[in-house]
Amino acid sequence: GDSVTQMEGPVTLSEEAFLTINCTYTATGYPSLFWYVQYPGEGLQLLLKATKADDKGSNKGFEATYRKETTSFHLEKGSVQVSDSAVYFCALIQGAQKLVFGQGTRLTINP
Amino acid sequence: DAGVTQSPTHLIKTRGQQVTLRCSPKSGHDTVSWYQQALGQGPQFIFQYYEEEERQRGNFPDRFSGHQFPNYSSELNVNALLLGDSALYLCASSQRGGSKNIQYFGAGTRLSVL
């Protein structure tokens, strides 16, 4: 079945550092890919998405590019802030079906 | 425009009891999906409702059941609660068809089974 693998956390960075969270997927078709963010005590918020190969999703300074050749969708941000501290989930979906999530990566940004 | 709303926010039950969780989808959405998120894990798909019918189901036992109402709101029922059912239960809504497969999540219901 379809699956998503994220780099294991936790990840701890200093403010203004460069962020990369790796995500790779396995899917039989051509899924849409997402990054969701979960702040403490809250549900999931959609951060960005990409629906086909070579698409770049971006939002709030975060970016991720859908790489079909490497089946990857790595999340990047050039300069992180303390407010970016959260758990980040990579996910895929095919059609109107279920979302398949990675295990999540906890990010902590120190001032 | 209200987003996805879930109730209650927190719930404490004992083993063997039954629980009902509720979800109102985002305006304009007709599909509701339920997920279980255990502590420190990613959400796991339970089932999805569209046109008042269960359309797809994840690897969860029959103790987990649901319902969708004509106004698209939904309920998740869990019978014979086990300690392992303790988790954050997330509802997500979406609009079926075309490229509108983005799911928007509510804040969740945290269920504790003692």
Side-chain angles (χ1 to χ4, degrees), chain A residues 31-97:
Chain A
S32 295
L33 302 174
F34 304 86
W35 278 99
Y36 282 87
V37 57
Q38 187 173 37
Y39 297 100
E42 299 185 11
L44 301 179
Q45 296 180 23
L46 177 65
L47 181 59
L48 54 83
K49 67 176 177 68
T51 58
K52 61 183 187 297
D54 300 325
D55 269 1
K56 177 185 283 188
S58 61
N59 186 27
K60 300 181 181 179
F62 290 90
E63 293 183 340
T65 301
Y66 189 141
R67 301 288 188 198
K68 184 171 177 292
E69 63 275 12
T70 55
T71 62
S72 65
F73 192 55
H74 304 321
L75 182 68
E76 297 182 337
K77 186 175 185 182
S79 177
V80 293
Q81 306 300 313
V82 172
S83 58
D84 294 327
S85 298
V87 181
Y88 291 81
F89 292 95
C90 184
L92 67 79
I93 196 169
Q94 301 214 56
Q97 307 302 315

Side-chain angles (χ1 to χ4, degrees), chain B residues 11-85:
Chain B
L11 208 48
I12 300 175
K13 293 287 187 178
T14 56
R15 281 179 298 174
Q17 285 190 311
Q18 178 265 344
V19 68
T20 297
L21 312 181
R22 296 177 174 82
C23 172
S24 292
K26 186 176 168 66
S27 178
H29 286 183
D30 55 11
T31 301
V32 173
S33 302
W34 287 92
Y35 294 82
Q36 180 195 66
Q37 186 181 15
L39 197 61
Q41 303 295 316
Q44 298 293 314
F45 176 77
I46 303 175
F47 42 53
Q48 184 181 87
Y49 277 84
Y50 171 68
E51 290 187 334
E52 302 180 48
E53 290 189 12
E54 183 182 293
R55 298 294 177 168
Q56 190 177 12
R57 189 179 182 90
N59 188 25
F60 280 80
D62 291 345
R63 297 187 297 108
F64 289 77
S65 63
H67 188 79
Q68 186 179 34
F69 299 93
N71 67 352
Y72 307 119
S73 67
S74 176
E75 289 181 349
L76 164 65
N77 301 293
V78 187
N79 295 322
L81 285 167
L82 303 174
L83 296 179
D85 295 331

